[in-house]
Amino acid sequence: MRTLALLRAVRGDGLVSCCYVIFCVPRLIPSKQLLQVDGSGADSYSDERIDVRPELLGNSELFNPASVARQLGDQLTLAKAYVVMAKENSNYGLAWELSAQIRACQNLLSQAATSGTPVSFAEAEPVMKALSALTVQAKDLHYDSATMIMKLKAQMQALEERANAAAAQSTVFGQLAAEAVPKGLHCLGMRLTMVWATTGDLRAGVESRKQDKRLTDNNLYHFCVFSDNVLATSVVVNSTIQNADHPDRLVFHVVTDHMNYGAMQAWFALIDLHGAAIEVQSIDGFTWLNSSYVPVLKQLGDAETRSYYFKSGSTDTKATLKFRNPKYLSMLNHLRFYIPEVYPELKKVVFLDDDVVVQRDVTALFSVDLHGNVNGAVETCLESFHRFHKYLNFSDPRISSHFDPESCGWAFGMNVFDLVAWKAANVTSRYHYWQEQNVDRTLWKLGTLPPGLLTFYGLTHSLDPRWHVLGLGYDANIDSQLIEGGAVVHFNGNMKPWLKLAMSRYKPIWEKYVDFSFSYVQQCNIH
């Protein structure tokens, strides 16, 4: 009975428990000694074969501890366990012998099931003796459960370490791929810069457009995009124009860096804007953006900050790697906090990131009542996700004493800004205050959203979620109807649509607004 209990433990607990049974090798039970209980309750012994019910090798025999089939099944379970142990210990000879007897045992049971007769002791005895001898041999080699458990634990730890290393390496490679400029985009920028530098008529036409009165007409719809990516910016502009009811009433304000200024100017000078107005400026031309005024530029001058963001050979975790991306100190990224100073004559603008696609007419945004607030944005909180405590360090009293940790977060990327209310609330000064408070990076770690949450706290109006659908740069499971109904879809995340990392499901949404017939796009093999 002890042997039977242990065998049942094997079947309930798996391989490790199976190894424990090696101390109780099943003994061979001759057929004449097998106890049979008949219907009258009297004890009797079988003459040659075990007398079982007509189901033969069905449940009745397999669950009968006195049957030969049951003994074969128990030894088969032990043998399979020892095969694994023998292989783990590189004892392939023992593993081969066990496997041979396992096949013989399986053939016996199969033949009995096919013929409809139970297995006789005479048929099973050679196999059972061989299996018993092999299990004793395995026991003598110290293939016990304790040794096996230690080996399995060591293997699990090694596999876990390899998986962690692979995940960290994948994160590094993914981050590098997301930050790198694809060859085609680099080619496009270079070719357009050459066109800008060598075509005087093109430059003269752009100079004349700088005097366009529509650039400061508050009766029109003004959109601003800050980017160093020519193709991405073109998609934002093109998708907005194509889906507008009156494209001639749209005005686009683009700011880029000095390196991409010529390429950006050339692109928009060469394409058809369908009556829309556009201006392109270089951030390097804003002399008021200097380290004495802008905290981010002041931080860039600090040796510790430069080391934190730019020092190579870091051994940080994947989360810290994301936080240390130098793009979060780019002034193009922080220029959104200076919009009233960039466009002092405008009263209301819609801010668009360069990784969005506009899918329908969005001029109705300019009619949304912000109820005296500065910022109109789509909230992103769902239960506890994307609330303030996910972005900010509430263990610091400077945060906990001023803000509610359960306040709902919102998204940058498609925002309506009332610049009149902005100036009245002195929003840029609030931004400066919090940036200076975070010089040691203890209040938050990442990007422009955390300081945005602090800066626009109590000054943000929640928009209908259909205005701004997020996640196309990292979430593969966004509902299709949600995407189709979104006025603006946002490829926030590392899988930008112009990268090979992009998700194939969403990439056509972006590619729809790329002019692949444009000669310079074709020359740079962008597809």
Side-chain angles (χ1 to χ4, degrees):
M1 292 301 294
R2 183 183 175 196
T3 301
L4 177 60
L6 288 171
L7 289 172
R8 284 176 176 170
V10 168
R11 297 193 173 191
D13 296 339
L15 178 59
V16 174
S17 296
C18 173
C19 302
Y20 188 77
V21 187
I22 62 177
F23 298 106
C24 300
V25 180
R27 73 183 167 86
L28 305 179
I29 304 176
S31 60
K32 291 184 179 295
Q33 297 179 9
L34 295 175
L35 179 66
Q36 175 188 355
V37 181
D38 61 20
S40 63
D43 295 343
S44 62
Y45 293 87
S46 64
D47 186 26
E48 181 63 26
R49 292 179 179 268
I50 303 171
D51 186 13
V52 297
R53 294 184 59 177
E55 293 93 311
L56 301 174
L57 292 179
N59 290 338
S60 59
E61 185 175 352
L62 290 176
F63 286 103
N64 179 5
S67 72
V68 174
R70 173 60 183 271
Q71 293 183 67
L72 281 174
D74 290 341
Q75 286 197 310
L76 186 65
T77 302
L78 280 174
K80 287 180 178 180
Y82 282 128
V83 167
V84 175
M85 294 184 188
K87 289 181 179 179
E88 287 293 326
N89 289 274
S90 301
N91 192 341
Y92 299 109
L94 178 60
W96 185 88
E97 291 181 37
L98 284 166
S99 297
Q101 295 304 321
I102 288 171
R103 286 193 295 272
C105 181
Q106 290 172 334
N107 287 337
L108 272 178
L109 295 173
S110 176
Q111 290 170 6
T114 303
S115 64
T117 57
V119 181
S120 69
F121 177 75
E123 293 171 328
E125 184 177 14
V127 176
M128 295 174 72
K129 283 184 175 180
L131 283 174
S132 295
L134 289 171
T135 53
V136 170
Q137 182 181 346
K139 178 183 176 182
D140 291 341
L141 291 171
H142 303 290
Y143 293 167
D144 54 53
S145 59
T147 303
M148 193 64 182
I149 288 171
M150 292 300 294
K151 288 187 176 181
L152 288 174
K153 283 184 176 179
Q155 290 179 356
M156 288 174 62
Q157 185 175 0
L159 287 172
E160 185 176 357
E161 290 175 355
R162 289 174 61 186
N164 291 338
Q169 189 177 51
S170 175
T171 300
V172 172
F173 290 159
Q175 195 69 37
L176 290 174
E179 294 174 17
V181 178
K183 182 179 178 180
L185 295 188
H186 179 71
C187 166
L188 180 65
M190 294 294 291
R191 288 184 177 273
L192 290 170
T193 299
M194 290 179 62
V195 171
W196 174 255
T198 58
T199 311
D201 292 343
L202 197 67
R203 296 195 302 275
V206 169
E207 285 297 320
S208 65
R209 288 207 301 269
K210 290 182 179 179
Q211 309 304 318
D212 193 336
K213 294 182 179 180
R214 292 182 296 171
L215 298 177
T216 56
D217 187 349
N218 283 294
N219 294 315
L220 302 179
Y221 306 114
H222 295 265
F223 300 86
C224 54
V225 185
F226 306 144
S227 173
D228 57 2
N229 187 325
V230 176
L231 194 64
T233 305
S234 74
V235 168
V236 176
V237 173
N238 193 27
S239 63
T240 307
I241 290 174
Q242 287 193 29
N243 290 291
D245 294 334
H246 303 284
D248 57 320
R249 294 183 59 80
L250 306 183
V251 182
F252 295 92
H253 304 269
V254 178
V255 179
T256 188
D257 56 18
H258 181 69
M259 182 177 294
N260 293 281
Y261 175 75
M264 199 78 76
Q265 287 282 26
W267 177 281
F268 289 111
L270 292 170
I271 67 170
D272 182 7
L273 294 172
H274 302 279
I278 192 167
E279 69 166 340
V280 178
Q281 299 182 76
S282 171
I283 194 171
D284 301 279
F286 302 150
T287 56
W288 49 270
L289 278 177
N290 52 63
S291 58
S292 63
Y293 177 61
V294 179
V296 169
L297 292 176
K298 189 184 301 182
Q299 292 169 15
L300 277 174
D302 178 67
E304 182 183 351
T305 301
R306 289 200 305 271
S307 174
Y308 180 83
Y309 281 95
F310 299 105
K311 185 177 181 180
S312 60
S314 174
T315 57
D316 295 329
T317 63
K318 62 182 181 180
T320 308
L321 175 68
K322 180 180 180 181
F323 296 155
R324 294 194 173 195
N325 190 335
K327 76 174 185 178
Y328 297 118
L329 285 182
S330 165
M331 273 313 302
L332 282 175
N333 204 35
H334 286 263
L335 194 61
R336 64 193 70 190
F337 295 103
Y338 299 92
I339 292 176
E341 294 167 82
V342 179
Y343 309 110
E345 296 178 299
L346 299 183
K347 295 181 179 178
K348 183 176 282 190
V349 300
V350 169
F351 168 78
L352 298 172
D353 267 340
D354 65 359
D355 53 354
V356 306
V357 172
V358 178
Q359 299 192 122
R360 61 183 173 90
D361 185 35
V362 291
T363 56
L365 282 169
F366 290 85
S367 302
V368 173
D369 185 359
L370 299 182
H371 302 285
N373 290 298
V374 176
N375 174 29
V378 169
E379 292 184 336
T380 56
C381 57
L382 178 62
E383 297 178 355
S384 64
F385 189 60
H386 283 173
R387 296 188 182 273
F388 271 40
H389 63 80
K390 293 293 184 180
Y391 300 101
L392 303 167
N393 178 18
F394 273 87
S395 65
D396 192 302
R398 290 172 294 179
I399 297 295
S400 58
S401 62
H402 291 88
F403 304 98
D404 178 3
E406 295 301 320
S407 291
C408 192
W410 45 266
F412 268 132
M414 195 290 298
N415 305 82
V416 187
F417 290 126
D418 184 332
L419 303 185
V420 176
W422 182 311
K423 294 173 185 176
N426 207 7
V427 169
T428 302
S429 294
R430 295 174 64 170
Y431 163 71
H432 283 174
Y433 170 79
W434 287 112
Q435 279 289 359
E436 289 167 352
Q437 292 294 308
N438 194 47
V439 66
D440 56 357
R441 298 177 299 279
T442 58
L443 303 186
W444 71 85
K445 295 289 186 184
L446 174 65
T448 55
L449 182 56
L453 296 176
L454 301 179
T455 300
F456 293 101
Y457 188 70
L459 299 173
T460 298
H461 173 72
S462 178
L463 299 176
D464 188 315
R466 290 173 295 181
W467 280 114
H468 188 190
V469 176
L470 296 111
L472 278 71
Y474 68 89
D475 186 355
N477 300 307
I478 304 175
D479 186 82
S480 297
Q481 292 184 345
L482 184 64
I483 295 174
E484 292 171 5
V488 176
V489 293
H490 195 168
F491 288 82
N492 56 310
N494 279 344
M495 299 180 184
K496 302 299 184 189
W498 54 85
L499 299 174
K500 290 184 178 180
L501 291 172
M503 284 181 273
S504 57
R505 178 190 172 196
Y506 305 135
K507 195 168 185 178
I509 299 172
W510 187 81
E511 290 180 333
K512 177 181 178 181
Y513 299 101
V514 177
D515 185 2
F516 291 108
S517 64
F518 193 44
S519 60
Y520 297 106
V521 172
Q522 293 180 344
Q523 290 170 20
C524 292
N525 197 29
I526 296 174
H527 52 78

